[in-house]
Amino acid sequence: MKRLFFVFAFIIPLVIHAQTLKTDVLVIGSGDAAYTASFQSFKSGVKTTLLTQKEKLDLNKIAPGHKIFYQGFLKRENENANSVNTAKPKPDKKNPLKVTVDSTLLLNVINNVPYTEIKRSGNGWEVKLSKDKSIKARILVLADNPEKLIAALKITSLNPASSRPLNYTENIYRTTVASVASAGTHFLSLYSLLIPDQENLLYIAADQFETGTAAGATAAYAAFFDTKTSLSNLKRIQGELLSYKHALMPFDDIKMADSNWLAIQKVGITGIIKAEIKQNKAYFNPEKEVTYDEIKQPIKDYYYKAQIWFDDHQHIPVNLENTISLVCYVGNKSIEATKSELQKKWNKNYKFASAYDLKKVLTRREFSVIINEYLKPFDDVNVDKTGRVIR
């Protein structure tokens, strides 16, 4: 699957002398959410400015469980920077906008500089730092006290994007952009990030790591494709987060190192295979056998042709042979070619521990990988704002 935001761009090193700094995405705040929003935004290929309010960005102060998010790509981008023979910018001690530029030259960090005002500037935003210095941004992500923003919007209150418990009585879970791990089975819908009647603005709680990541990807999408946040393409944003190993579904028993992590995440968010929720945790149960009753209706919801297949195959075991029959009928594929391909990939590519056996009842892991590979419900089928499948 192609990456959403493609490649990092190397630009000329920047030292600020002008009165106005222009950026694609401006993130304001000093907590986990601001850091992850700004890092994800620039990783997704747009020029990003982080304006901290309390202290300098210090990776040594990041929570241990979150350090891998920063360290992994910093190592990669530092290696990239070493191959580019460009002069590094020197700090301007006389300039109150102390800017550091990371190795991709897409992230500017302005440390501990307060702002006096937020206001609209066309379809974007202008943040005043002093009488004659300001930042103009196409997209604003606020992970800080909203008092000045509330004044600018002329409203009385503003609530940050919030998560909700995972449940399958409604389909909104399909619109998730990041799992909120600290809240157990909770998930965050993309549409809770969007503020009604306020384009190109995201307001998030300062301490939510995963919410910051989701906001960063959403802001970057709007900036990269020169569109409004209300027109965000959910699938592309979800795909971007998955490409950086951000879980969309909070499965407690499926770790990032799992060789089938991506397929399970994609099938899990469709609801074709549902988690077991107990004690505020969601378990995918990857080695549990798949049953006919649990997959029948979800697959029919996604594919018209599945209705006919299930009518012709009543209450049969979900073994490999029958699953191949299903995906070949729905996906218009050759049964014999699919059998041959699966046999070659079974252990080598998919890393399944079991032997290739047409009569074997599939585990949820095996079934998810096959459905993801041959029907692609996540990649090829869209959902609306409520999570309802659009066919």
Side-chain angles (χ1 to χ4, degrees):
M1 186 176 66
K2 293 183 179 180
R3 289 277 312 284
L4 166 61
F5 298 108
F6 312 117
V7 296
F8 288 110
F10 289 93
I11 61 176
I12 299 173
L14 173 67
V15 179
I16 296 177
H17 295 294
Q19 301 299 308
T20 301
L21 169 67
K22 293 184 178 181
T23 188
D24 291 324
V25 174
L26 172 62
V27 181
I28 301 177
S30 300
D32 267 348
Y35 296 162
T36 55
S38 57
F39 274 58
Q40 183 62 55
S41 176
F42 98 83
K43 284 168 63 181
S44 293
V46 300
K47 188 175 179 181
T48 304
T49 298
L50 169 62
L51 180 65
T52 70
Q53 294 298 290
K54 295 179 181 178
E55 56 186 10
K56 293 183 178 181
L57 171 62
D58 185 354
L59 296 186
N60 293 321
K61 295 182 179 180
I62 299 298
H66 298 162
K67 283 188 176 181
I68 189 173
F69 172 82
Y70 302 95
Q71 292 172 343
F73 76 78
L74 280 177
K75 179 178 183 296
R76 181 180 62 190
E77 301 312 327
N78 284 334
E79 290 170 351
N80 290 343
N82 290 336
S83 67
V84 181
N85 186 21
T86 57
K88 298 296 186 291
K90 295 180 180 180
D92 185 351
K93 295 182 179 179
K94 296 181 180 180
N95 196 319
L97 301 186
K98 297 181 180 179
V99 179
T100 60
V101 184
D102 84 311
S103 61
T104 66
L105 306 180
L106 282 178
L107 176 63
N108 300 329
V109 181
I110 303 176
N111 281 313
N112 198 22
V113 175
Y115 59 97
T116 60
E117 182 185 8
I118 297 177
K119 63 181 180 180
R120 280 285 183 185
S121 177
N123 291 325
W125 297 89
E126 181 176 6
V127 174
K128 299 287 289 185
L129 305 180
S130 64
K131 182 179 180 181
D132 57 355
K133 295 186 183 297
S134 63
I135 303 173
K136 286 189 175 181
R138 297 164 66 185
I139 316 294
L140 173 64
V141 180
L142 184 67
D144 191 52
N145 189 322
E147 183 178 339
K148 294 185 178 69
L149 180 59
I150 288 173
L153 299 179
K154 297 179 180 179
I155 57 178
T156 57
S157 64
L158 186 63
N159 296 318
S162 59
S163 61
R164 63 175 68 190
L166 175 63
N167 72 83
Y168 294 106
T169 59
E170 53 185 348
N171 294 320
I172 193 68
Y173 67 88
R174 290 173 178 155
T175 68
T176 186
V177 282
S179 65
V180 184
S182 60
T185 61
H186 281 57
F187 71 93
L188 178 77
S189 169
L190 164 68
Y191 300 103
S192 70
L193 282 169
L194 307 181
I195 302 173
D197 303 320
Q198 295 296 332
E199 293 290 358
N200 302 333
L201 170 65
L202 305 173
Y203 171 48
I204 57 179
D207 59 347
Q208 291 190 1
F209 177 89
E210 293 88 351
T211 304
T213 305
T218 303
Y221 176 88
F224 189 92
F225 290 103
D226 192 21
T227 188
K228 300 175 182 178
T229 48
S230 65
L231 301 178
S232 296
N233 185 308
L234 171 64
K235 289 289 184 178
R236 292 200 175 190
I237 296 171
Q238 288 176 321
E240 176 72 353
L241 289 166
L242 284 173
S243 72
Y244 282 104
K245 290 288 188 178
H246 293 302
L248 302 182
M249 296 296 284
F251 298 141
D252 193 73
D253 53 349
I254 303 296
K255 306 304 180 185
M256 189 187 303
D258 192 306
S259 58
N260 305 127
W261 179 87
L262 183 60
I264 290 172
Q265 280 289 317
K266 286 184 173 183
V267 172
I269 201 170
T270 66
I272 289 175
I273 296 288
K274 295 178 173 61
E276 177 188 9
I277 302 173
K278 59 182 182 181
Q279 296 180 344
N280 201 33
K281 290 186 177 181
Y283 297 95
F284 188 76
N285 298 321
E287 311 314 324
K288 182 180 179 181
E289 291 185 346
V290 176
T291 66
Y292 179 92
D293 289 339
E294 71 176 310
I295 65 166
K296 177 182 176 181
Q297 190 58 50
I299 293 181
K300 286 166 61 176
D301 289 343
Y302 270 80
Y303 304 100
Y304 286 121
K305 290 185 69 175
Q307 175 72 60
I308 301 173
W309 188 90
F310 279 103
D311 286 346
D312 292 340
H313 299 80
Q314 295 284 340
H315 302 290
I316 59 175
V318 187
N319 58 27
L320 179 55
E321 185 172 41
N322 290 331
T323 301
I324 292 174
S325 170
L326 169 64
V327 300
C328 290
Y329 182 81
V330 174
N332 298 315
K333 304 179 188 300
S334 163
I335 288 180
E336 293 307 315
T338 301
K339 285 180 179 179
S340 177
E341 186 175 46
L342 273 170
Q343 188 170 16
K344 292 177 182 178
K345 291 182 175 181
W346 193 260
N347 301 117
K348 183 178 180 181
N349 294 68
Y350 302 144
K351 309 296 182 184
F352 294 150
S354 62
Y356 177 86
D357 179 359
L358 290 174
K359 299 303 180 183
K360 177 189 183 302
V361 175
L362 298 180
T363 64
R364 291 154 71 91
R365 171 192 298 278
E366 294 161 348
F367 185 81
S368 294
V369 170
I370 294 171
I371 292 296
N372 180 66
E373 180 87 5
Y374 291 96
L375 292 184
K376 302 185 184 301
F378 171 82
D379 295 315
D380 293 346
V381 182
N382 285 321
V383 298
D384 65 15
K385 292 183 178 182
T386 68
R388 182 180 62 86
V389 173
I390 303 173
R391 299 189 295 186

